Every structure is written in C-alpha cells, then in structure tokens.
Amino acid sequence: MTFESSPVQQQGPAPLSPQEFKATVEAILTNVEWVIEGKSHTIRLALAVMLAEGHLLLEDVPGVGKTQLAKALARSVDCSVRRIQFTPDLLPSDVTGVSIFDPEKRDFVFKPGAIFGNLILGDEINRASPKTQAALLECMEERQVTVDGNTYKLRGPFMVIATQNPVEMEGTYPLPEAQRDRFAARLAIGYPDVNAELALLDRREEYNPLDALRPVADAEMIVRMIAAARAVHLAPELKRYVVDLVAATRSNAQVRLGASPRATLQLLRCTQVLAAMDGRDFALPDDVQQLAVPVLAHRLIPTTETTMGGGDTKAIVSDILRHVPVVSHPGRY
Amino acid sequence: MSGQRHATVVAACTLALTLTPLIGVFEGLGWTFPVLLTITVVAVTGSLMRAAGRGQGLQTLAMAGGLVVVLTAGFGGGTGLLLIIPTPGTFEHWADLAAQGVAAIITQVPPVDPEGGILFLTLLGVGMVAILHDMFVVGLRTPALAGLTLLTMYLVPVSVAPDATAWFWFILPAVAYLWILADDNLRRVSAFGHRFTGTGQLVGQRFPSPMARTARWSAAGFIVTTLVALAVIPTNTSGFLDRVAQDFEGGGDAGLGDVNPWAQLSGSLHRPEEVEVLRVTTDDPNPRYLRMHVLDELNNGGFEPNEYAAGDSIDALDMPEDAQIYEAQIENLQLEAPVVPVYGTPVSLDIEGDWAIDADTGVIVGDDADMGEVDAYTLNYVDPAFDAETLASAGGMDVEDPRWEANTAHPDLPQLSEIVDREIGEGTVHEKVLAALDFLSVSNGFRYSLETGDAGNDEAILDFLETKQGYCQQYAAAMAWMLRDADVAARVVIGMSQGERDGTEWVLTSHDYHAWVEVYYEGPGWVTYDPTPSMGVPGSVTFPWATEPTAPADDPTADAGISAEPTPGSETPSAGAAEDPSEALAEGEPADDPAAQSEEDGAFGFDPAWLALLLLAAVPFVPALWRGAVRRSRLDPKRLTAQTAWDEAIDLAHDYGVALAESLTPRQAAGVLAQAAPGGREAAATLGSAMSRYRYSPKGADATGLADAVKDLHAELAKCAEPRQKYRAVFWPASLLAKLSAGQAEQSARLARRSARTADRVRGALRRPRRSNGRRDRSVTGRP
C-alpha cells in the first residue's frame, strides 16, 4: 500500500459504457442487499454518493444496520477499507497519522493514520471530541492530510462513511455545521418491514452473511465508474432547477442557514450518478428529487421556532420540492 | 343530464313540434330559423338560471330578457344598443311593427311571407308561449297545464288559416303533449326508483310495468271510441272528420258530376292530377270559352245558378244569315253535367238526349239528360264579335226590362259599395266595366292564387278585395258583384277555357275549368269579359273589346272576333293600342311588378342584427373551437415535437380537471395522468418519457407516435371523466381560460410596473429641483 500523492481522476482509465456501469452497479447492489434486506433505495443512494465522490453520513437509531451497510459496501469493493471507532478519547493523530522519531534513521517518520485508505468507516462519529472530528475536515474536502507541515495526498477512491446515533445524545458531540456540510448525503436506514426482518432472521441463523461477502468491483473499476458518471449530461433546465431548489432553501422562512454552493455541486454530482445507474446518459429532475432530501436536509439549520415547533429539515426540503417548479418559466411542467 | 335539463329540452322540442302547423301559414320555411332560435334562447336562459339555482321569478325574468334580446336582434331596426339591447326607440319600432303585423293578419291570406310585422308578432307570441311552457313543464312541474300552451300554439295556425292547416298536423301537438306527460312520469318513476306494478312486485326502472299493457289498451280504446262518436254524432260540417273524409275523397277519381258549379270549378282546379275532360275539333282557329253554367242569382252566399227552366228545344236554334259559322265536334271523356258546354252563340246542336234551352241564360239544359250519357256531339256556333266603339256607345239594360231585377239584384254591402263608388263611379256601362277590370288588374296589386278558400260569399269577396289574392271564382264574382252594385246587369259564367292545342284538336282538362263575367249591353246583348289575370289561367283568351274605344279609321279590332288569339306567346290584336292593363303587366318585366318584387324580398330578410345574433349564438362555441385549433396546431405533424405533444397532454389534464402541480417532473405528471385515466397509462408514460428526453437529453426525443399517444390519452381521459367534466372540457376548456387569465395577469403586472415606473419618474421629476442636494449627498453614502 502506498501513500504517495496520486492525482487519480486525471490519468484514470477510460470511462465505462452505460451498460457496464449498470451491470457493475447491479452487482454491487445485489451484494449489499444480501446483507441489508429490504433497503434497496437506501443502498442505491449510498452507492450513488460513493460514485459521486461524496461522503456518507448514516444517521439512525442503534441496531438498524448502519455499520452493516457501511461494511457491506466496503466489502463489495476490493479496496483498502479502514475502520475508525470514534471514541471520546480518540485523538486527531489517530485519524490523520503522526510523525514519530525513528532511531535507526535518526529522523521523524510519518506513521499514517486510519484515514489513509479507500473506504473509511467512521463509526459513532459524534462520540469523538470536536477536535478529533475536526481532523476529518481537510481529508474529506481536500483529500489530503497535512501533518507537521507535510501534506500527503490521499489515494482515490476515497470515501468516508460515518455513522451516528441521533437519539442518544449523552456524552456525544454533535457534528458542527462545517463538518456536516462535508458529507454529501445523510441517510437513514430505518427499521426493516416484517418480511425483511424475517428474511434477516433466516439468513443469520447459520452465519453472518457479511462474512460470506465477496468483492464484485475493485478500486480501479470504481474510479472508472466515477469518471463515467461525470460524463452524464446535465441540461440547462436541470441545472436551473437544482439552483432554484438550493436557492429556495436559503430564502425559506423556516431556515436559518440554507444550503451552500457545495451542496449544489454535490447534488448535481449525485444526480449524475443516479442517472447513470439508471442507464441514462442524461439526468432528470426525478433524480434530483430523489436526492434532494438526503443531500440537502442535513445541511440546513432550522430556525429556533421551527425546531421548537417540531419541524425538521427533511420536511422543509420536501416542502420546497413540492413548491419549486421543475421548469422555471410559468405554465410549463 | 339532470332531470330538469332533460325536461327543458323536452319542453323546447315539444313546443317546436307544435309549431309545425305554421308551415301552412307561412310561405316557405324561412320562418323556422327565427322561431326555433327564439325557443332555444328561451330554453337556454331558463336552464342557465335554474343551473345557477335561481327561483322561478328570476327564471321567468331571464327568459323574458332572452326573448327581448332575440327580438331586438331580429327586429331592432338598428335601434338596439349593440344590436341586441333594446332602447326606447326599439319599443317604438316594435309598436309600429306590431301594428303592421295586425294589419297584415287582417288583410293577407295565408300563406304569407314570413317577414316584418307578422313574423315579429309570431316570434313575440312564440316566445311568450315558450316562457309559459317552460314554466309549466320545468319550473312549476305541472306538465298537464302545458297542454294549454300547446293548444294555444296549435290554435294560432288553425284560426289564421283553417283551410291551410291540414288535419294531420294535429297529430304532432298531440304527440308532443303525450311526450311531455310521459317524460314527466318517467322522472317521477325514476325519483321513486321502481315502477308501480299493482301486484306488489317491484320492477326495475328500465323494464316496462306489467300495467303498461292495460294502459295501452285503454288508450287505444278511448281513441277509437272518440273517433266513432265523432263520426256518428252530427257536429258542425267543417269538423275534423269531414275534412279527413274530404281529403281522402279528393284524391279519388270521383266524377266531375252533378254538383254545385262552384264546387265543380274549385274541385277541378284543386285536383292534384290533371285529367282530360273534353276533346274539341273545330274549324274555329281560336275557339273562345266553353260556356256551361250561368250564375245570375246573387245573395249573401254569392252567385248561384238560377233554376234552369227547360224552354225551347234545341231544334229552335236559328241559323243567322250573314255570320261566320264554325263547327265544333266535341268528344266527351269525363264530363258529367246537366248542361252542354257550348261556344259563343250556338246555332245548331247535334247531340243525343233531350236538351232544351234555358230562356234567360241560353244554357243548354238537360231535360232528364246528362253529359255523362253523351260521348260526343257536334255544335255549330257563331262567335260574337264586338268592338270597343260599339260597346262604348251602347247603353246598359233598360230598367224596365223584365230581366233587370234578376240581373242587378245584390245584397247591400257597404264596404263593397264604398269601393265601387271610389273605383267605378259614374259613366257609361263600358266605362264602368273597364274601371272594374282596371281595379282588378295586376297593376292594382291583385294576384292570382289558388291557395285561397273556395268561398264566394260576401265575406270572401270582401276579403278578396282587401287581400287582392284569389282565383277566377273570386275575380268573376267580385267583378259581377261590383258591376251590379254600380247598376250594371252582370252575371257570372262558369265553363271551360280554351284548353291546349294538340294537333288538330283542343284538349280541355280539369284544370281548364274557369269562371268569367257577362255584362249586358242594350243592343249587343251579353258581352263576355274575363277579369282573371291571364297568367293564372291556362288557355285564357283575350277579349279585344275590353279596351277603350280607339279612332274608327285605324281600328284593328274590326274583325277582332276571329283574330282573338290565345295568350301564350301572343300579342293582343290591338297592338300599340291600349291593352288590357292586367295583360300588359302580367307579361311585363317582373321587376316592374310590385307584387313580384315584394315576393323577392319575401324570403326571410337578411338583417345585420341576425348576423350579430348568430355571432352571439356562436360565442359559447368559441372556446371549444379555439381549443380544437390549438390542439390541431400542436399535433400538426409538421411541427409536432415532444414539447408540443406534452403541452397538449398537460392542457388536456387541465381540461379534465386533473391537477398537476408545477413541481412535478414529466414522469411524475405522466404518473398522475395515468392514475386519472388508467387506460391511458401507456400513452401518458410515452409522453412523459419523450418530454423528459426532449428537455433533458442532449439527443432530444423522437416525436413519432406522440400524436397518437395524445389522442389515446384524450380518449381515456374523456372516458374516465364525469359527463359534466367532459362537457366542460369540450365547451369551457380550463387550460385555455387559465392561459388567458395568466396572460392577463402578466399584462396587468407589466402595466402596474410600468405605471409605477412612470409615477416614480414623475415624482422624481417633481422633487428634483427642491431636493437635488439632499439626493446627491445621500447617493455618496451609497444608500438612497
């Protein structure tokens, strides 16, 4: 495993054809669904975030399979997977790495932290102290680590899948806005329905399906898929629609802080991936609408009144979706 | 259709059915459009008010309003505001029209031209009856009372033109009435939910009640009983059944036999088919009229034949020495009469049977003999020729003459005397005769018409003089009556006109029956005149002495007796001289003829107001037409794109009340459409994905099959829509109205912005001089 800086996107191999893309996506989805029953939509979105080079925040109550999803996704792709269990005593250097003195070389040698991998599972991210959480800021956005004045590039594909528990707040440090904004999407898994839960019981009677999971794609394939997704056409009307949506979050009376331009960018990237996963070479507003809540909701800061009134940002984004015209000139649909 | 709306339609239809007898009253069918329009407008306004939940009072008012609008449009005479809103001037105009109409009703004889006052009165009456009818049938829901309105409607043509109204027209109003009753009953049954069966067993609405058969049989029984009773019980003679009987007999081949000469005349002229009656071979190049009956007894019932007294035998006919004698061989084909038709003055007659001469009239009367037994006979006769000079100088019948009393007797008719005083006045007999001819001429507005009744009594003659329409019976009777009133001995003769030449023979048919006048001159004796316009009488003959006397030197009428020619294609012998005015005008240019001219304008007059009304009536269809045009232009293969097809689909959804938010993507919208019209799922999906591709894919979308998809979707939407929604989608398309109001909103917003800018500018211009410093200071700070 090497940690040299390597500009991945520029020299990557040729993009995949839509058919190959779709086939690979189906393979990964089938693989993950073997572990997480009845959550194909969530899994799909999670994969979309990965292929959009975004980071994923899985936020749900304990025991619904956040970590399972993250691990299954990681196992399906043959790449380096690192796991960081965020504990209150975790230090930033545990994440990024540290320079230690090598007596033989009589010099400081950089010991890379857990972040140096392709897929990083950050479990219970809100249990670490804010300073440790802050260590992720640079890695996630700039895909590099700076330690002791030296900057180390991270190899692609690079994705952080973090989980957190929204209910149990004691002893936790909620993610600051800047940190939340770096996650492309926040997904909730939710309880499985009766049939899915029964299937889950059956399957896990003898063994843990996670252990039987075999990778169906490798890092190189992921890189090619990322490149293919970037080629998906974005019509001017669609861009306008996305901008209108994001603008609507900023002007919404229930929102104190709206979505950032980074949100716009990431929404469009995810949209492209979703279109490509559907076998299309052009994106549709339907794709945007599927992604708007996961991509936008966690970035918004509602007003105090909204919070007190029991409103949440998902409802606000859904409401915005219901009101922003798909085509900006009136009378058209 | 709701019950009330259905009842409205039934009411309008029944009223229209009841109006069919008007066919006999009006000339042509030009009246149907305005009448039907009036009924429709009244029905529609009533229905609209009902739909708006207004009470009976407002409904009636609205219907009256609709009627006024129709009348203003049709008869505003340009006084209406926008041609349809009445002004005080309109009402004045209407009063004039009504007066004209009343006058026309009194003077004219059906069929009349549907124009002017009469049509106005008709529409007014029809409209008011329509309001009542609607009120009875729908508003008050007392359909039995609607019988009154229907009867009122039926009485109009019957009373105006009893003769022109055929009996069978009564069937239609009767059917209409039954329809109303049945429809109302059905509504009641529907409201109850089941038919009443009488047996306690319930039968669904759609199945006939077991009692229906009983009802049908009793109804049939009643009708038969009524008809039998009517036939048995003596009623007035012009009753319904009489007329039925007459109509049926009229078509038969009954002989033209021993009947009242008048009846024979009118019956023959009205016969639909023409039958040959006599065939004549004669050496007379121009035979005149065949004389049969002489009617010299005049009372209030008109001219009647006197009792013929069989006097001398026909052998007593003497042969004059110096006159041209013609011979005529006459073959009898059909004629049954107790008199022998003869030309001119017969000098000998070779005929089977006992025949004698009636001394007073010269009629050859059968003494127990009838023409029915005669197959042929030969007649020698002199054709008496007179000239205008002789007649002008000849006097009338001597008052002392024993025949004077019989030939001038007439009932006292002040109206007729007035006309005679005015038109005939004083003068010689010839002058009076010419004046009478003049008066009855076409140039005086008299018109030949077989449509008038066949009455010859005093009222009929006065009617004829007023309406100036009639046929030979009225012409002859009127002229003889007028002359008698002017103390001239005159009588009516019934016989046959010249007929038509067929090779060497003259063929006289049932349509050649004719009536004319004989006037007595002291000296020449009885002289024949024919006041009937020659154009009305096939084979009519001109009598050259019916003119003013001319200078004897160049009098071409000297031997007019032989030179009298048949009218068709001939000039009168006195060419260049004053002709019979009626002749001249009858053959003249139709444009010179006021009667003909009025006939030309007689058709339903074209008035810009009608056009306006037509446009107004078309207004409700404008949205539907517009929407159809928009659809066609969108689906036009030349410019069909996914966008136009999609626009059409969205508008269809709008029309059919399928709510589509602007925030829906094409696919989602297609999903909503598919939900609204499950059968159109595929079409909607096709359209949605085509639109998605068109808008968002760099390659665009293929438009083939999209027009069909739109049509499928349309059909499915229409199928799934409620009837009300469907009608609204067609006639009141929401998409169109939304577009209009959106455009209006945009325009008014633009206008508001502009006016605000203008106001700002004005305000700024006003302020600038005073506050310029302040403004400049503030602008430095960057904040105004």
Side-chain angles (χ1 to χ4, degrees), chain A residues 257-283:
Chain A
L257 184 68
S260 58
R262 181 190 287 143
T264 318
L265 270 174
Q266 291 185 337
L267 183 54
L268 272 177
R269 293 282 315 265
C270 293
T271 303
Q272 283 178 309
V273 176
L274 220 51
M277 285 167 79
D278 206 20
R280 277 181 275 117
D281 62 350
F282 58 93

PDB file of all heavy atoms in Angstrom, chain A residues 257-283:
ATOM      1  N   LEU A 257     -30.063  28.830   8.189  1.00  0.00           N
ATOM      2  CA  LEU A 257     -28.932  28.768   7.259  1.00  0.00           C
ATOM      3  C   LEU A 257     -29.276  27.785   6.146  1.00  0.00           C
ATOM      4  O   LEU A 257     -29.602  26.620   6.417  1.00  0.00           O
ATOM      5  CB  LEU A 257     -27.672  28.296   7.999  1.00  0.00           C
ATOM      6  CG  LEU A 257     -26.400  28.271   7.166  1.00  0.00           C
ATOM      7  CD1 LEU A 257     -25.965  29.684   6.809  1.00  0.00           C
ATOM      8  CD2 LEU A 257     -25.296  27.547   7.902  1.00  0.00           C
ATOM      9  N   GLY A 258     -29.189  28.245   4.911  1.00  0.00           N
ATOM     10  CA  GLY A 258     -29.562  27.400   3.784  1.00  0.00           C
ATOM     11  C   GLY A 258     -28.383  26.555   3.312  1.00  0.00           C
ATOM     12  O   GLY A 258     -27.332  26.504   3.939  1.00  0.00           O
ATOM     13  N   ALA A 259     -28.616  25.904   2.188  1.00  0.00           N
ATOM     14  CA  ALA A 259     -27.592  25.017   1.646  1.00  0.00           C
ATOM     15  C   ALA A 259     -26.520  25.833   0.939  1.00  0.00           C
ATOM     16  O   ALA A 259     -26.781  26.891   0.394  1.00  0.00           O
ATOM     17  CB  ALA A 259     -28.232  24.031   0.687  1.00  0.00           C
ATOM     18  N   SER A 260     -25.303  25.295   0.960  1.00  0.00           N
ATOM     19  CA  SER A 260     -24.159  26.002   0.387  1.00  0.00           C
ATOM     20  C   SER A 260     -24.019  25.669  -1.091  1.00  0.00           C
ATOM     21  O   SER A 260     -24.621  24.709  -1.564  1.00  0.00           O
ATOM     22  CB  SER A 260     -22.897  25.558   1.115  1.00  0.00           C
ATOM     23  OG  SER A 260     -22.769  24.161   0.973  1.00  0.00           O
ATOM     24  N   PRO A 261     -23.235  26.431  -1.810  1.00  0.00           N
ATOM     25  CA  PRO A 261     -22.948  26.070  -3.204  1.00  0.00           C
ATOM     26  C   PRO A 261     -22.307  24.688  -3.298  1.00  0.00           C
ATOM     27  O   PRO A 261     -22.502  23.998  -4.295  1.00  0.00           O
ATOM     28  CB  PRO A 261     -21.985  27.154  -3.655  1.00  0.00           C
ATOM     29  CG  PRO A 261     -22.278  28.304  -2.776  1.00  0.00           C
ATOM     30  CD  PRO A 261     -22.692  27.741  -1.454  1.00  0.00           C
ATOM     31  N   ARG A 262     -21.593  24.285  -2.251  1.00  0.00           N
ATOM     32  CA  ARG A 262     -21.029  22.944  -2.273  1.00  0.00           C
ATOM     33  C   ARG A 262     -22.184  21.921  -2.350  1.00  0.00           C
ATOM     34  O   ARG A 262     -22.075  20.917  -3.057  1.00  0.00           O
ATOM     35  CB  ARG A 262     -20.214  22.693  -0.997  1.00  0.00           C
ATOM     36  CG  ARG A 262     -19.584  21.332  -0.972  1.00  0.00           C
ATOM     37  CD  ARG A 262     -19.005  21.018   0.382  1.00  0.00           C
ATOM     38  NE  ARG A 262     -17.788  21.782   0.627  1.00  0.00           N
ATOM     39  CZ  ARG A 262     -17.450  22.275   1.804  1.00  0.00           C
ATOM     40  NH1 ARG A 262     -18.244  22.103   2.841  1.00  0.00           N
ATOM     41  NH2 ARG A 262     -16.334  22.942   1.962  1.00  0.00           N
ATOM     42  N   ALA A 263     -23.253  22.258  -1.655  1.00  0.00           N
ATOM     43  CA  ALA A 263     -24.418  21.380  -1.705  1.00  0.00           C
ATOM     44  C   ALA A 263     -24.936  21.276  -3.137  1.00  0.00           C
ATOM     45  O   ALA A 263     -25.256  20.185  -3.616  1.00  0.00           O
ATOM     46  CB  ALA A 263     -25.518  21.915  -0.800  1.00  0.00           C
ATOM     47  N   THR A 264     -24.971  22.416  -3.816  1.00  0.00           N
ATOM     48  CA  THR A 264     -25.429  22.412  -5.202  1.00  0.00           C
ATOM     49  C   THR A 264     -24.575  21.474  -6.040  1.00  0.00           C
ATOM     50  O   THR A 264     -25.076  20.641  -6.797  1.00  0.00           O
ATOM     51  CB  THR A 264     -25.349  23.837  -5.788  1.00  0.00           C
ATOM     52  OG1 THR A 264     -25.806  24.755  -4.809  1.00  0.00           O
ATOM     53  CG2 THR A 264     -26.175  23.958  -7.029  1.00  0.00           C
ATOM     54  N   LEU A 265     -23.274  21.657  -5.880  1.00  0.00           N
ATOM     55  CA  LEU A 265     -22.346  20.833  -6.647  1.00  0.00           C
ATOM     56  C   LEU A 265     -22.573  19.356  -6.369  1.00  0.00           C
ATOM     57  O   LEU A 265     -22.657  18.533  -7.284  1.00  0.00           O
ATOM     58  CB  LEU A 265     -20.917  21.203  -6.268  1.00  0.00           C
ATOM     59  CG  LEU A 265     -20.275  22.306  -7.092  1.00  0.00           C
ATOM     60  CD1 LEU A 265     -18.914  22.654  -6.493  1.00  0.00           C
ATOM     61  CD2 LEU A 265     -20.111  21.824  -8.532  1.00  0.00           C
ATOM     62  N   GLN A 266     -22.641  19.035  -5.079  1.00  0.00           N
ATOM     63  CA  GLN A 266     -22.755  17.626  -4.731  1.00  0.00           C
ATOM     64  C   GLN A 266     -24.103  17.050  -5.158  1.00  0.00           C
ATOM     65  O   GLN A 266     -24.184  15.902  -5.584  1.00  0.00           O
ATOM     66  CB  GLN A 266     -22.541  17.461  -3.222  1.00  0.00           C
ATOM     67  CG  GLN A 266     -21.094  17.746  -2.868  1.00  0.00           C
ATOM     68  CD  GLN A 266     -20.779  17.493  -1.417  1.00  0.00           C
ATOM     69  OE1 GLN A 266     -21.675  17.510  -0.583  1.00  0.00           O
ATOM     70  NE2 GLN A 266     -19.510  17.276  -1.118  1.00  0.00           N
ATOM     71  N   LEU A 267     -25.108  17.886  -5.095  1.00  0.00           N
ATOM     72  CA  LEU A 267     -26.423  17.411  -5.542  1.00  0.00           C
ATOM     73  C   LEU A 267     -26.367  17.045  -7.027  1.00  0.00           C
ATOM     74  O   LEU A 267     -26.877  16.004  -7.460  1.00  0.00           O
ATOM     75  CB  LEU A 267     -27.475  18.502  -5.294  1.00  0.00           C
ATOM     76  CG  LEU A 267     -28.921  18.171  -5.640  1.00  0.00           C
ATOM     77  CD1 LEU A 267     -29.353  16.900  -4.954  1.00  0.00           C
ATOM     78  CD2 LEU A 267     -29.852  19.310  -5.222  1.00  0.00           C
ATOM     79  N   LEU A 268     -25.718  17.903  -7.788  1.00  0.00           N
ATOM     80  CA  LEU A 268     -25.619  17.630  -9.221  1.00  0.00           C
ATOM     81  C   LEU A 268     -24.779  16.377  -9.483  1.00  0.00           C
ATOM     82  O   LEU A 268     -25.131  15.562 -10.344  1.00  0.00           O
ATOM     83  CB  LEU A 268     -25.010  18.831  -9.944  1.00  0.00           C
ATOM     84  CG  LEU A 268     -26.036  19.883 -10.379  1.00  0.00           C
ATOM     85  CD1 LEU A 268     -25.340  21.067 -11.017  1.00  0.00           C
ATOM     86  CD2 LEU A 268     -27.027  19.287 -11.369  1.00  0.00           C
ATOM     87  N   ARG A 269     -23.669  16.235  -8.733  1.00  0.00           N
ATOM     88  CA  ARG A 269     -22.829  15.045  -8.936  1.00  0.00           C
ATOM     89  C   ARG A 269     -23.626  13.781  -8.635  1.00  0.00           C
ATOM     90  O   ARG A 269     -23.596  12.825  -9.403  1.00  0.00           O
ATOM     91  CB  ARG A 269     -21.599  15.094  -8.015  1.00  0.00           C
ATOM     92  CG  ARG A 269     -20.591  16.175  -8.301  1.00  0.00           C
ATOM     93  CD  ARG A 269     -19.670  15.873  -9.469  1.00  0.00           C
ATOM     94  NE  ARG A 269     -19.125  14.532  -9.509  1.00  0.00           N
ATOM     95  CZ  ARG A 269     -17.930  14.176  -9.027  1.00  0.00           C
ATOM     96  NH1 ARG A 269     -17.169  15.056  -8.419  1.00  0.00           N
ATOM     97  NH2 ARG A 269     -17.508  12.942  -9.151  1.00  0.00           N
ATOM     98  N   CYS A 270     -24.325  13.794  -7.526  1.00  0.00           N
ATOM     99  CA  CYS A 270     -25.127  12.622  -7.159  1.00  0.00           C
ATOM    100  C   CYS A 270     -26.201  12.355  -8.200  1.00  0.00           C
ATOM    101  O   CYS A 270     -26.496  11.201  -8.529  1.00  0.00           O
ATOM    102  CB  CYS A 270     -25.769  12.825  -5.789  1.00  0.00           C
ATOM    103  SG  CYS A 270     -24.580  12.868  -4.454  1.00  0.00           S
ATOM    104  N   THR A 271     -26.771  13.451  -8.704  1.00  0.00           N
ATOM    105  CA  THR A 271     -27.809  13.314  -9.733  1.00  0.00           C
ATOM    106  C   THR A 271     -27.248  12.583 -10.944  1.00  0.00           C
ATOM    107  O   THR A 271     -27.878  11.684 -11.502  1.00  0.00           O
ATOM    108  CB  THR A 271     -28.302  14.711 -10.152  1.00  0.00           C
ATOM    109  OG1 THR A 271     -28.776  15.377  -8.996  1.00  0.00           O
ATOM    110  CG2 THR A 271     -29.404  14.611 -11.176  1.00  0.00           C
ATOM    111  N   GLN A 272     -26.045  13.006 -11.331  1.00  0.00           N
ATOM    112  CA  GLN A 272     -25.412  12.361 -12.489  1.00  0.00           C
ATOM    113  C   GLN A 272     -25.264  10.863 -12.251  1.00  0.00           C
ATOM    114  O   GLN A 272     -25.565  10.049 -13.120  1.00  0.00           O
ATOM    115  CB  GLN A 272     -24.029  12.973 -12.729  1.00  0.00           C
ATOM    116  CG  GLN A 272     -24.083  14.336 -13.389  1.00  0.00           C
ATOM    117  CD  GLN A 272     -22.687  14.912 -13.570  1.00  0.00           C
ATOM    118  OE1 GLN A 272     -21.904  14.949 -12.617  1.00  0.00           O
ATOM    119  NE2 GLN A 272     -22.389  15.347 -14.771  1.00  0.00           N
ATOM    120  N   VAL A 273     -24.817  10.508 -11.046  1.00  0.00           N
ATOM    121  CA  VAL A 273     -24.601   9.094 -10.757  1.00  0.00           C
ATOM    122  C   VAL A 273     -25.920   8.338 -10.818  1.00  0.00           C
ATOM    123  O   VAL A 273     -26.011   7.262 -11.421  1.00  0.00           O
ATOM    124  CB  VAL A 273     -23.950   8.931  -9.371  1.00  0.00           C
ATOM    125  CG1 VAL A 273     -23.821   7.452  -9.047  1.00  0.00           C
ATOM    126  CG2 VAL A 273     -22.614   9.614  -9.326  1.00  0.00           C
ATOM    127  N   LEU A 274     -26.937   8.928 -10.227  1.00  0.00           N
ATOM    128  CA  LEU A 274     -28.231   8.244 -10.199  1.00  0.00           C
ATOM    129  C   LEU A 274     -28.740   8.004 -11.623  1.00  0.00           C
ATOM    130  O   LEU A 274     -29.283   6.931 -11.933  1.00  0.00           O
ATOM    131  CB  LEU A 274     -29.236   9.098  -9.406  1.00  0.00           C
ATOM    132  CG  LEU A 274     -30.173   8.345  -8.487  1.00  0.00           C
ATOM    133  CD1 LEU A 274     -29.418   7.396  -7.588  1.00  0.00           C
ATOM    134  CD2 LEU A 274     -30.985   9.319  -7.662  1.00  0.00           C
ATOM    135  N   ALA A 275     -28.533   9.041 -12.489  1.00  0.00           N
ATOM    136  CA  ALA A 275     -28.959   8.878 -13.887  1.00  0.00           C
ATOM    137  C   ALA A 275     -28.167   7.749 -14.536  1.00  0.00           C
ATOM    138  O   ALA A 275     -28.728   6.895 -15.226  1.00  0.00           O
ATOM    139  CB  ALA A 275     -28.752  10.184 -14.640  1.00  0.00           C
ATOM    140  N   ALA A 276     -26.844   7.722 -14.292  1.00  0.00           N
ATOM    141  CA  ALA A 276     -26.005   6.690 -14.892  1.00  0.00           C
ATOM    142  C   ALA A 276     -26.406   5.315 -14.368  1.00  0.00           C
ATOM    143  O   ALA A 276     -26.416   4.328 -15.109  1.00  0.00           O
ATOM    144  CB  ALA A 276     -24.543   6.973 -14.584  1.00  0.00           C
ATOM    145  N   MET A 277     -26.729   5.237 -13.079  1.00  0.00           N
ATOM    146  CA  MET A 277     -27.145   3.958 -12.511  1.00  0.00           C
ATOM    147  C   MET A 277     -28.428   3.465 -13.160  1.00  0.00           C
ATOM    148  O   MET A 277     -28.703   2.266 -13.195  1.00  0.00           O
ATOM    149  CB  MET A 277     -27.375   4.106 -10.986  1.00  0.00           C
ATOM    150  CG  MET A 277     -26.075   4.188 -10.206  1.00  0.00           C
ATOM    151  SD  MET A 277     -26.354   4.731  -8.524  1.00  0.00           S
ATOM    152  CE  MET A 277     -26.924   3.249  -7.772  1.00  0.00           C
ATOM    153  N   ASP A 278     -29.220   4.435 -13.671  1.00  0.00           N
ATOM    154  CA  ASP A 278     -30.469   4.085 -14.338  1.00  0.00           C
ATOM    155  C   ASP A 278     -30.217   3.740 -15.803  1.00  0.00           C
ATOM    156  O   ASP A 278     -31.149   3.443 -16.541  1.00  0.00           O
ATOM    157  CB  ASP A 278     -31.436   5.279 -14.234  1.00  0.00           C
ATOM    158  CG  ASP A 278     -32.881   4.834 -14.298  1.00  0.00           C
ATOM    159  OD1 ASP A 278     -33.131   3.641 -14.030  1.00  0.00           O
ATOM    160  OD2 ASP A 278     -33.744   5.669 -14.609  1.00  0.00           O
ATOM    161  N   GLY A 279     -28.949   3.816 -16.217  1.00  0.00           N
ATOM    162  CA  GLY A 279     -28.626   3.500 -17.601  1.00  0.00           C
ATOM    163  C   GLY A 279     -28.824   4.649 -18.555  1.00  0.00           C
ATOM    164  O   GLY A 279     -28.841   4.483 -19.757  1.00  0.00           O
ATOM    165  N   ARG A 280     -28.991   5.842 -18.022  1.00  0.00           N
ATOM    166  CA  ARG A 280     -29.207   7.004 -18.876  1.00  0.00           C
ATOM    167  C   ARG A 280     -27.933   7.802 -19.030  1.00  0.00           C
ATOM    168  O   ARG A 280     -27.069   7.743 -18.160  1.00  0.00           O
ATOM    169  CB  ARG A 280     -30.283   7.921 -18.262  1.00  0.00           C
ATOM    170  CG  ARG A 280     -31.699   7.489 -18.586  1.00  0.00           C
ATOM    171  CD  ARG A 280     -32.692   8.440 -17.986  1.00  0.00           C
ATOM    172  NE  ARG A 280     -32.997   8.098 -16.606  1.00  0.00           N
ATOM    173  CZ  ARG A 280     -32.748   8.871 -15.567  1.00  0.00           C
ATOM    174  NH1 ARG A 280     -32.184  10.050 -15.746  1.00  0.00           N
ATOM    175  NH2 ARG A 280     -33.071   8.475 -14.361  1.00  0.00           N
ATOM    176  N   ASP A 281     -27.819   8.554 -20.096  1.00  0.00           N
ATOM    177  CA  ASP A 281     -26.672   9.448 -20.232  1.00  0.00           C
ATOM    178  C   ASP A 281     -27.103  10.891 -20.028  1.00  0.00           C
ATOM    179  O   ASP A 281     -26.417  11.812 -20.400  1.00  0.00           O
ATOM    180  CB  ASP A 281     -25.992   9.261 -21.598  1.00  0.00           C
ATOM    181  CG  ASP A 281     -26.933   9.611 -22.740  1.00  0.00           C
ATOM    182  OD1 ASP A 281     -28.137   9.812 -22.470  1.00  0.00           O
ATOM    183  OD2 ASP A 281     -26.477   9.672 -23.895  1.00  0.00           O
ATOM    184  N   PHE A 282     -28.273  11.054 -19.465  1.00  0.00           N
ATOM    185  CA  PHE A 282     -28.709  12.409 -19.123  1.00  0.00           C
ATOM    186  C   PHE A 282     -29.473  12.333 -17.812  1.00  0.00           C
ATOM    187  O   PHE A 282     -30.115  11.322 -17.513  1.00  0.00           O
ATOM    188  CB  PHE A 282     -29.587  12.995 -20.232  1.00  0.00           C
ATOM    189  CG  PHE A 282     -30.801  12.183 -20.539  1.00  0.00           C
ATOM    190  CD1 PHE A 282     -32.011  12.441 -19.921  1.00  0.00           C
ATOM    191  CD2 PHE A 282     -30.727  11.133 -21.446  1.00  0.00           C
ATOM    192  CE1 PHE A 282     -33.135  11.684 -20.212  1.00  0.00           C
ATOM    193  CE2 PHE A 282     -31.843  10.360 -21.726  1.00  0.00           C
ATOM    194  CZ  PHE A 282     -33.039  10.627 -21.115  1.00  0.00           C
ATOM    195  N   ALA A 283     -29.391  13.419 -17.055  1.00  0.00           N
ATOM    196  CA  ALA A 283     -30.026  13.418 -15.739  1.00  0.00           C
ATOM    197  C   ALA A 283     -31.428  14.021 -15.838  1.00  0.00           C
ATOM    198  O   ALA A 283     -31.699  14.850 -16.707  1.00  0.00           O
ATOM    199  CB  ALA A 283     -29.192  14.217 -14.759  1.00  0.00           C
TER     200      ALA A 283
END
